[in-house]
Amino acid sequence: MSELIEGLPDAVALRCLARVPFYLHPKLELVSRTWRAAIRSAELFRAREEVNSSEEFLCVCAFDPDNLWQLYDPRHDLWITLPVLPSNIRHLAHFGVVSTARKLFVLGGGSDAVDPLTGDQDGSFATDEVWSYDFVNQQWSLCASMIMPRAMFACCVLDGKIVVAGGFTSCRKSISKAEIYDPEKNVWVSIPDLHHTHNSACSGVVLGGKVHVLHKGLSTVQVLENAKQGWTVHDYGWLQGPLAVVKGKLYVMSHGQIYNQEKESSKVIVSASEFRRRIGSAMIGLGDDIYIIGGVIGPERWNWDIKLMSDVDVLSLGSERPIWRQVASMTGCRGTILGCTQLRI
């Protein structure tokens, strides 16, 4: 890079560009080849961190259309569309999704999709594929495959590394195997197995610097503080339902209410009865807020139409009294949310 801004050293000019919001980067690339190279450089993203200009986003993938991801920018209330995930599997689902090292990672999963012309099943129920989207070079890449194919599994980031545990194999058998991925080395390593498995999907959240794995239908929670010590089992009796972590606190939507879920107690925060008919939506925390994204509204008694939603409802927890509001709807996706995670770049 040279002569980014006339009269300024490149190091200073780069820090000027680093203060420009991410959604304007495509316009900056049009200025010149030099600016395009600067925008697509790791140095720019390091400069964004140095000048405290990194931004928080939500990454979302829905059922419609196939394998398309969008970013939600809460500061500017807009959606940014990423290139289509180049998987050979149509309607990739049941995968894990996290972000770390300024990349978005989509792990495992599969599809029961059937080709409408040939009737052939497209793909398998579980795979070991790992895709990452690099926001520096703006493209998807295949990473080292997981040790085991898996779907409907727990997936979290612990100390910058990706932990996966449980789920189902390609033959739909539940597993207790767990492994950890180092994004810098691009290597997977086995870690101690879960103490037990269950014939249901599992999910994971990080609380207090520990991975917590929950199986649908079970009251026990399996906790991992570090990969060497292995898992411990606790019967917290947590409520069942979608989970979100906000400012280190766990929230769950259950029975038309949103609760603050402590280790062995729960407290009602606000009513969420309007979401009872909205299935398949994502619930995730960002900043001081809980986001309810997309989903499907099923048929009513006299109306058999199914409505694919792109709406986004936000519960603000920062004020004394939690308040619901709506923000910009998804522009490129709708329906059941297949994956959702936070991202900082």
Side-chain angles (χ1 to χ4, degrees), residues 287-327:
D288 291 323
D289 301 329
I290 293 175
Y291 285 73
I292 310 294
I293 306 172
V296 174
I297 293 183
E300 298 182 57
R301 184 175 181 182
W302 304 112
N303 182 0
W304 292 99
D305 291 336
I306 295 176
K307 184 178 181 182
L308 304 181
M309 304 288 290
S310 59
D311 295 14
V312 181
D313 294 90
V314 182
L315 179 64
S316 298
L317 299 170
S319 56
E320 286 187 19
R321 185 178 179 182
I323 301 171
W324 287 103
R325 72 181 193 276
Q326 277 201 321
V327 296

Side-chain angles (χ1 to χ4, degrees), residues 213-326:
V213 171
L214 305 89
H215 282 86
K216 187 175 181 180
L218 286 185
S219 62
T220 53
V221 179
Q222 301 184 69
V223 181
L224 178 75
E225 185 169 358
N226 65 65
K228 293 182 180 179
Q229 289 184 351
W231 304 85
T232 56
V233 181
H234 305 268
D235 196 345
Y236 294 143
W238 285 356
L239 295 169
Q240 297 279 316
L243 302 171
V245 177
V246 178
K247 300 293 186 183
K249 294 183 178 181
L250 182 64
Y251 296 86
V252 58
M253 185 190 295
S254 183
H255 306 297
Q257 308 272 7
I258 290 183
Y259 296 82
N260 175 204
Q261 181 70 72
E262 300 289 346
K263 277 192 175 180
E264 297 180 357
S265 65
S266 56
K267 176 185 176 183
V268 175
I269 299 299
V270 70
S271 170
S273 58
E274 62 268 36
F275 299 106
R276 281 192 166 188
R277 289 188 53 243
R278 191 162 146 187
I279 60 176
S281 56
M283 177 171 160
I284 190 169
L286 183 67
D288 291 323
D289 301 329
I290 293 175
Y291 285 73
I292 310 294
I293 306 172
V296 174
I297 293 183
E300 298 182 57
R301 184 175 181 182
W302 304 112
N303 182 0
W304 292 99
D305 291 336
I306 295 176
K307 184 178 181 182
L308 304 181
M309 304 288 290
S310 59
D311 295 14
V312 181
D313 294 90
V314 182
L315 179 64
S316 298
L317 299 170
S319 56
E320 286 187 19
R321 185 178 179 182
I323 301 171
W324 287 103
R325 72 181 193 276
Q326 277 201 321

Side-chain angles (χ1 to χ4, degrees), residues 44-255:
L44 177 78
F45 287 88
R46 284 195 288 268
R48 284 167 64 85
E49 294 177 356
E50 291 172 8
V51 301
N52 200 28
S53 291
S54 296
E55 298 172 87
E56 298 279 358
F57 299 90
L58 291 178
C59 306
V60 182
C61 175
F63 176 79
D64 183 33
D66 287 11
N67 301 345
L68 182 68
W69 286 85
Q70 287 201 293
L71 299 185
Y72 176 68
D73 179 347
R75 186 180 299 178
H76 303 97
D77 191 28
L78 55 82
W79 289 87
I80 302 165
T81 303
L82 301 182
V84 174
L85 175 70
S87 172
N88 292 326
I89 301 175
R90 295 174 52 248
H91 283 307
L92 183 66
H94 311 311
F95 50 77
V97 55
V98 291
S99 69
T100 186
R102 294 196 298 263
K103 295 180 180 180
L104 172 67
F105 288 86
V106 178
L107 308 96
S111 177
D112 289 330
V114 175
D115 190 307
L117 297 178
T118 65
D120 294 334
Q121 184 172 324
D122 187 7
S124 61
F125 180 74
T127 68
D128 58 6
E129 282 188 356
V130 178
W131 292 91
S132 69
Y133 184 81
D134 189 334
F135 289 86
V136 175
N137 57 36
Q138 302 178 28
Q139 65 182 18
W140 292 96
S141 300
L142 273 172
C143 304
S145 298
M146 291 186 292
I147 297 170
M148 291 195 69
R150 61 181 79 218
M152 297 183 175
F153 56 98
C155 184
C156 296
V157 172
L158 184 66
D159 299 328
K161 297 180 180 180
I162 302 173
V163 175
V164 298
F168 295 86
T169 63
S170 53
C171 57
R172 301 175 188 260
K173 180 181 178 181
S174 59
I175 52 174
S176 59
K177 297 293 183 183
E179 49 192 289
I180 191 167
Y181 174 75
D182 186 331
E184 292 186 3
K185 297 179 181 178
N186 191 30
V187 172
W188 286 94
V189 177
S190 294
I191 60 175
D193 295 355
L194 296 171
H195 284 280
H196 61 255
T197 185
H198 188 59
N199 194 31
S200 66
C202 63
S203 59
V205 292
V206 174
L207 293 169
K210 303 176 184 179
V211 175
H212 294 63
V213 171
L214 305 89
H215 282 86
K216 187 175 181 180
L218 286 185
S219 62
T220 53
V221 179
Q222 301 184 69
V223 181
L224 178 75
E225 185 169 358
N226 65 65
K228 293 182 180 179
Q229 289 184 351
W231 304 85
T232 56
V233 181
H234 305 268
D235 196 345
Y236 294 143
W238 285 356
L239 295 169
Q240 297 279 316
L243 302 171
V245 177
V246 178
K247 300 293 186 183
K249 294 183 178 181
L250 182 64
Y251 296 86
V252 58
M253 185 190 295
S254 183
H255 306 297

